[in-house]
């Protein structure tokens, strides 16, 4: 069983079809449900706390190989 990531972010979503597990501080882990897995990539994450001050669940950002900017969520601050 897993928690719906879209619901945690206050978004509407269809049924979760995939689950993925995130390791958090130490041995704690959470499994989130998502509608679609797009890709898996290794990223260099840059902190953006000053720019995302109004959204505490965003901990950083990264730039993908195709130039897209992606936001990195902090699972400890998603409010589960």
């Amino acid at each position: 069983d897993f928690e719906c990531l879209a619901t945690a972010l206050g978004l509407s979503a269809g049924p979760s079809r995939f689950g993925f597990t995130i390791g958090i501080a130490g041995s704690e882990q959470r499994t989130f449900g998502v509608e679609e897995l797009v890709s898996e990539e290794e990223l260099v994450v840059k902190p953006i706390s000053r720019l995302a001050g109004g959204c505490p669940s965003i901990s950083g950002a990264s730039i993908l190989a195709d130039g897209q900017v992606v936001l990195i969520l902090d699972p400890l601050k998603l409010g589960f």
Side-chain angles (χ1 to χ4, degrees):
D1 197 33
F2 44 79
E3 303 161 89
C4 178
L5 184 58
T7 302
L9 297 173
L11 305 171
S12 62
S16 296
R17 299 184 322 185
F18 301 94
F20 66 95
T21 301
I22 298 175
I24 307 171
S27 63
E28 184 180 348
Q29 293 185 343
R30 286 209 173 114
T31 301
F32 295 100
V34 294
E35 292 180 57
E36 179 181 6
L37 296 174
V38 177
S39 69
E40 179 181 338
E41 297 187 37
E42 290 188 32
L43 302 172
V44 175
V45 178
K46 299 288 186 176
I48 61 166
S49 59
R50 198 177 67 222
L51 300 173
C55 189
S57 60
I58 297 175
S59 65
S62 189
I63 300 174
L64 301 178
D66 66 1
Q68 288 186 70
V69 176
V70 293
L71 299 176
I72 309 301
L73 299 175
D74 182 343
L76 291 175
K77 295 181 181 174
L78 287 175
F80 291 112

